[in-house]
Each structure stands twice: as structure tokens, then as C-alpha cells.
């Protein structure tokens, strides 16, 4: 197949190239266009208006988006311009093109900031909080308002993706552990879902090569992990003993309350983020692809990612 991938030079795109370029011809669409191994040509967004510049495409994977702002400095409108605006632009192009498959990377954050009940499924009524999730759900709504009978359209909602080249919060946690700092929140036993890049790539490969019904699909590893397990796994990859302190939970909650009042680094919001439960079901996507289990376990994926951080 000829596959057009937007945001191809980002974290997911760079990893996806390695899987898909083995069996497909890949074209990129990005704001930067350096030559990249495995990519035949990178086009610009303006090229979409010039049909003579566009190759014949069978499938589009839309990755371009604004996600990681670990410093929280971006204005809300930027998220809507990029996450909603670019999705409308590429989806309009898809509808009038000969391409038959469209894969949009939304996020679980379009569905829920916190998980109501035990597990987040596709049945949830979306209730995003903040411009990232809100801009993604607007993009989803645009796609759903324009269905197509003879094309397959997938809205994917991955939870936190990790792998080589990852820039997000996992990196921050890795650096904290690497400095030998103790983890003081060991008394909190939460469960969180992640998705290893290998599992994500296997899902995309399946959607491209198989006949799968259009729809919304959540993407997660088979197993959820607690933050304590995550820290223990980071330490295992580094060949170290985990330094987890089980300071009294109630006391830490009181410390965070004081932190909120005094604007300290450990405040109630940060404590909630670090210790929350966020378990995502992958049952629907596995059933659709006829998979018994994901390609690798959550722990195998995490060890691979942490080892890739050490190689940098
Ligand atoms: N990583 C995760 O944990 C995660 C989880 C759920 C969903 N997702 C979604 O998955 C997609 C891929 O994520 P990622 O981690 O690969 O993100 P990433 O590394 O930030 O890559 C995003 C890509 O979008 C491009 N882009 C950013 N702003 C743009 C603009 N104004 N116009 C055109 N292109 C623009 C980036 O180009 P530059 O590199 O030049 O800025 C980059 O190529 C995103 O849509 C993200 O929201 C990611």
C-alpha cells in the first residue's frame, strides 16, 4: 500500500516507519521535510491543495498533533488550531481522495480526565478536561459527522505511549529515579495503563492489513501497572534497587494540601496525577483484530523503553 503519515517525524511516526516500511511505501506529511530512511518523500501541508504534487494514496495515518507541554506554557487556542484544525484539513482531503483507510490518533484524554468506574471503555460518554482533550474530541466529532460507506475510518484513543525517543512524563520520572531520589508515595497502590510502542505498531499494522470495522478503539497494553511497579521496573532496567518510601498516605495528603496553599511542587493536583488510577480496556481492538493478547507484555515494553533511555 501507499501510506501517507502526517507528523511522521515525531515520536510515534519515527517508530511506525520501522514497522510499516518493511511492507509498504510510506509518504510523510510534516512541517519539516528532512530525508528519512524508509520514507519515499515528505510532502508539506500546502501540497494537499496541489493534486499534481500528491501521490496516489491508499491509507492515511494522522499523527500530527500537539501533546507534550510538560511546562504548561501553550495557549489553549494552539491545541484547537493543531489538533482540531489539522484533523479537519487532512480528513477533508481523505474524503475526496481515492484512499480507503483513515487512522486518526486521538487520545484517551478525549474521553476522560479520570476513569469513571474501574476501566475506561469505548462506551464512556466523553468528558474531556483541558484544551488537549477538548481539541481531540472536537476532531473526533468532525470525523464522526462525516461518515463514509465505502471507506474505513478508525479513531484511536491510545493511553500514554512509550518507546525509544519518548519525550513525555515517563522521561521525567526516569530522570528522578536516575538521580537516586527516593519515591515517597509508595503507600499509594494505583493502577495505570500504558501502551508500548511495539504494541501500538502491531495494532496499526493490523488495521492496515486486515478488514476491520470502522469505529473508536482504545489502545492499551494487556496489563496495568502501579507507579511502584513502574519505579521497580525502571530500577530493574538500570540494575539498581528501588528506593521506595512508604510514607503514610494520610500524611502525604495533608502535605499536598499545604503545598496547594503555599504553591509548593507537591500539591493536591500533582499528588492526584501521580497516584491516580487510569485503567484502559483494550478488549475491543483485540477482538476486532482477532488477537488473543498484545505483542509484548507491559513490563517487557517498559524495560525496552527504559533501556533505550540509557542508550541516549
Ligand atoms: N505520545 C503519547 O503518549 C500519545 C498518547 C495518546 C495520543 N497521542 C497522539 O498521537 C499523535 C502522535 O504523538 P507523538 O507522541 O508522536 O507526538 P510528537 O512527537 O509531538 O509528534 C507530533 C508530530 O506532529 C507535528 N506537528 C506539531 N505541530 C504541528 C503543526 N502546527 N503543524 C503540523 N504538524 C505539527 C510535529 O512536528 P514537529 O516535530 O516539527 O513539531 C510532529 O511531527 C499525536 O496526535 C498525539 O496527540 C500521543
Amino acid at each position: 500500500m501507499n501510506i501517507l503519515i502526517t507528523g511522521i517525524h515525531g515520536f510515534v511516526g519515527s517508530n511506525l516507519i520501522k514497522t510499516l516500511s518493511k511492507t509498504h511505501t510510506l509518504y510523510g506529511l510534516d512541517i519539516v521535510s528532512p530525508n528519512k530512511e524508509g520514507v519515499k518523500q515528505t510532502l508539506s501541508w500546502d501540497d494537499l491543495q496541489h493534486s499534481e504534487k500528491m501521490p496516489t494514496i491508499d491509507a492515511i495515518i494522522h499523527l500530527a498533533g500537539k501533546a507534550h507541554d510538560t511546562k504548561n506554557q501553550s495557549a489553549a487556542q494552539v491545541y484547537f488550531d493543531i489538533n482540531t484544525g489539522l484533523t479537519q484539513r487532512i480528513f477533508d482531503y481523505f474524503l475526496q481522495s481515492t484512499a480507503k483507510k483513515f487512522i486518526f490518533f486521538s487520545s484517551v484524554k478525549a474521553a476522560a480526565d479520570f476513569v469513571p468506574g474501574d476501566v475506561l471503555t469505548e462506551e464512556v460518554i466523553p468528558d474531556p478536561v483541558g484544551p488537549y482533550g477538548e481539541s481531540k474530541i472536537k476532531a473526533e466529532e468532525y470525523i464522526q459527522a462525516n461518515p463514509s460507506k465505502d471507506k474505513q475510518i478508525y479513531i484511536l484513543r491510545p493511553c500514554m505511549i512509550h518507546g525509544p525517543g519518548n519525550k513525555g512524563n515517563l522521561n521525567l520520572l526516569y530522570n528522578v529515579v536516575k538521580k537516586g531520589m527516593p519515591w515517597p508515595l509508595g503507600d499509594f497502590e494505583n493502577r495505570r495503563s500504558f501502551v508500548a510502542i511495539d504494541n501500538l505498531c502491531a495494532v496499526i499494522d493490523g488495521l492496515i492489513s486486515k478488514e476491520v470495522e470502522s469505529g473508536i478503539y482504545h489502545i492499551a497494553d494487556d496489563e496495568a501497572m502501579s507507579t511502584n511497579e513502574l519505579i521497580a521496573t525502571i530500577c530493574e532496567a538500570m540494575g539498581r534497587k528501588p528506593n521506595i518510601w512508604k510514607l503514610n498516605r494520610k500524611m502525604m495528603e495533608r502535605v499536598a494540601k499545604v503545598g496547594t496553599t503555599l504553591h509548593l511542587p507537591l500539591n493536591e493536583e500533582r499528588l492526584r496525577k501521580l497516584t491516580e488510577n487510569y485503567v484502559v480496556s483494550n478488549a475491543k481492538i483485540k477482538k476486532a483484530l482477532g488477537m488473543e493478547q498484545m505483542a509484548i507484555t507491559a513490563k517487557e515494553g517498559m524495560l525496552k523503553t527504559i533501556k533505550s533511555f540509557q542508550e541516549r
Side-chain angles (χ1 to χ4, degrees):
M1 277 196 189
N2 284 346
I3 304 175
L4 180 69
I5 306 178
T6 74
I8 197 164
H9 298 289
F11 158 59
V12 174
S14 302
N15 284 284
L16 205 48
I17 294 170
K18 293 176 207 149
T19 304
L20 296 182
S21 64
K22 291 177 201 150
T23 37
H24 303 284
T25 305
L26 304 185
Y27 292 88
L29 188 72
D30 216 326
I31 30 183
V32 288
S33 52
N35 286 334
K36 198 150 185 160
E37 204 186 321
V39 181
K40 186 163 179 187
Q41 185 190 356
T42 300
L43 301 138
S44 76
W45 283 87
D46 285 343
D47 290 340
L48 291 177
Q49 265 96 51
H50 304 279
S51 54
E52 75 283 0
K53 290 192 182 171
M54 295 301 293
T56 304
I57 296 296
D58 302 303
I60 297 178
I61 303 174
H62 176 42
L63 299 174
K66 177 161 181 58
H68 303 297
D69 180 8
T70 40
K71 294 197 178 97
N72 263 339
Q73 284 173 339
S74 306
Q77 190 55 40
V78 177
Y79 287 89
F80 290 94
D81 291 346
I82 298 173
N83 293 339
T84 316
L86 288 184
T87 306
Q88 291 169 338
R89 212 164 146 190
I90 191 70
F91 190 66
D92 287 348
Y93 176 81
F94 165 72
L95 289 178
Q96 52 83 41
S97 77
T98 53
K100 289 280 184 244
K101 290 191 190 218
F102 187 86
I103 302 176
F104 167 51
F105 269 64
S106 181
S107 164
V108 283
K109 291 290 174 186
D113 196 46
F114 71 94
V115 175
D118 294 337
V119 183
L120 190 71
T121 71
E122 292 81 354
E123 307 296 309
V124 71
I125 296 166
D127 185 19
V129 176
Y132 176 65
E134 288 165 9
S135 59
K136 287 283 190 187
I137 201 74
K138 270 195 132 194
E140 287 190 17
E141 285 162 5
Y142 186 79
I143 291 172
Q144 289 185 297
N146 295 282
S148 167
K149 265 198 217 125
D150 57 340
K151 294 180 188 247
Q152 290 163 322
I153 299 168
Y154 307 110
I155 293 173
L156 305 189
R157 291 181 185 155
C159 46
M160 202 198 94
I161 308 164
H162 62 87
N166 187 247
K167 297 179 274 190
N169 287 329
L170 186 63
N171 229 306
L172 300 180
L173 189 62
Y174 167 75
N175 284 322
V176 167
V177 176
K178 195 175 149 195
K179 283 187 186 130
M181 286 157 79
W183 179 251
L185 305 175
D187 206 19
F188 293 78
E189 263 306 329
N190 60 332
R191 307 298 300 162
R192 282 190 73 104
S193 292
F194 298 91
V195 58
I197 193 77
D198 289 11
N199 287 338
L200 181 77
C201 289
V203 164
I204 303 295
D205 200 27
L207 289 174
I208 292 286
S209 57
K210 295 180 183 176
E211 285 299 308
V212 175
E213 202 183 327
S214 295
I216 296 176
Y217 294 95
H218 289 181
I219 314 292
D221 290 334
D222 285 332
E223 310 85 6
M225 277 183 143
S226 68
T227 308
N228 290 346
E229 281 169 351
L230 181 57
I231 288 173
T233 307
I234 294 175
C235 290
E236 188 179 325
M238 294 195 295
R240 281 199 198 164
K241 271 193 150 187
N243 192 2
I244 297 173
W245 289 359
K246 292 202 171 187
L247 299 180
N248 182 275
R249 186 183 171 134
K250 287 264 173 298
M251 183 188 80
M252 291 313 289
E253 281 166 356
R254 278 198 293 273
V255 169
K257 210 168 188 170
V258 175
T260 304
T261 317
L262 299 180
H263 304 287
L264 299 176
L266 185 64
N267 53 39
E268 285 163 302
E269 172 62 8
R270 187 152 290 150
L271 183 70
R272 183 180 74 81
K273 285 272 167 211
L274 290 170
T275 58
E276 72 181 350
N277 289 308
Y278 202 107
V279 181
V280 178
S281 165
N282 64 10
K284 186 178 174 192
I285 189 69
K286 284 200 298 191
K287 187 164 180 236
L289 291 170
M291 293 167 87
E292 290 269 302
Q293 55 189 44
M294 284 285 175
I296 57 174
T297 65
K299 186 169 175 187
E300 283 166 346
M302 199 54 81
L303 284 170
K304 259 181 119 167
T305 297
I306 302 303
K307 284 186 177 151
S308 78
F309 290 173
Q310 291 172 291
E311 284 156 14
R312 282 191 304 219

